[in-house]
Every structure is written in C-alpha cells, then in structure tokens.
C-alpha cells in the first residue's frame, strides 16, 4: 500500500518535471526564433543581462532534465519492487 502511494508520488513528480521541461523548451525556442531575426536580435541584445538570462534559462532546462532522469529512475525502481 505504501509502495503504491510512493509510485503515484513519483509519477506525479515525473509529470510535473515533464511539464516544466516543455515550458522551458518552448520559451527557449521562442527566444531562439527571435535571435534568428536580425531586427529582433538587435532589440534583444540591447537588453541588459539578456545573455545572462538566456544562459540561466538553458541551465535551468538542463537541471530540470537531470531532475527528470532521477525521478524516472526512482519511479522505475519503485515499479520494479512491485513486480
């Protein structure tokens, strides 16, 4: 019974991380699209801290992916115990 509860918790964690990853990827893709447009590139590059914020987003995405991998492994471990 506790194992089922732990599995559901791990599944929720995986789904939440997947949603966060999707959101971050979409945000980065939108910025990338703007960077390919010369006029928008000029505007973005005028913003103070633009590149720092952009790199921070990419780092956040990387961390979310690592967290997802750990959560996925934990879920698989819990599911293996159930079998």
């Amino acid at each position: 019974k506790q194992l089922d509860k732990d599995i559901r918790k791990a599944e929720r964690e995986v789904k939440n991380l997947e949603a966060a990853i999707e959101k971050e990827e979409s945000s980065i893709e939108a910025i990338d699209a703007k960077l390919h447009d010369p006029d928008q590139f000029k505007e973005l590059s005028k913003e103070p801290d633009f590149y720092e914020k952009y790199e921070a987003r990419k780092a956040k995405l990387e961390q979310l992916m690592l967290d997802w991998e750990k959560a996925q492994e934990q879920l698989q471990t819990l599911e293996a115990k159930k079998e």
Side-chain angles (χ1 to χ4, degrees):
K1 204 162 193 170
Q2 179 63 39
L3 182 58
D4 288 335
K5 185 178 175 183
D6 291 342
I7 288 173
R8 282 192 303 275
K9 183 179 177 186
E11 286 172 338
R12 271 194 311 277
E13 179 69 14
V14 167
K15 285 182 183 177
N16 289 342
L17 285 165
E18 286 172 348
I21 287 169
E22 241 179 74
K23 181 180 174 187
E24 212 52 49
E25 283 177 335
S26 293
S27 177
I28 290 170
E29 285 174 14
I31 294 169
D32 286 343
K34 289 179 180 179
L35 289 174
H36 288 291
D37 179 300
D39 294 330
Q40 290 186 345
F41 175 81
K42 283 181 185 177
E43 286 301 310
L44 287 174
S45 61
K46 289 178 186 175
E47 285 182 32
D49 304 334
F50 166 75
Y51 290 104
E52 288 175 15
K53 290 177 184 176
Y54 180 68
E55 290 300 318
R57 279 191 181 279
K58 290 175 99 174
K60 180 180 178 183
L61 176 60
E62 192 171 318
Q63 185 58 53
L64 285 169
M65 292 178 123
L66 291 173
D67 292 346
W68 176 84
E69 284 179 26
K70 288 178 190 172
Q72 190 68 34
E73 287 173 13
Q74 182 181 8
L75 176 59
Q76 289 172 350
T77 300
L78 290 169
E79 289 174 337
K81 287 181 183 178
K82 191 173 181 177
E83 294 173 358

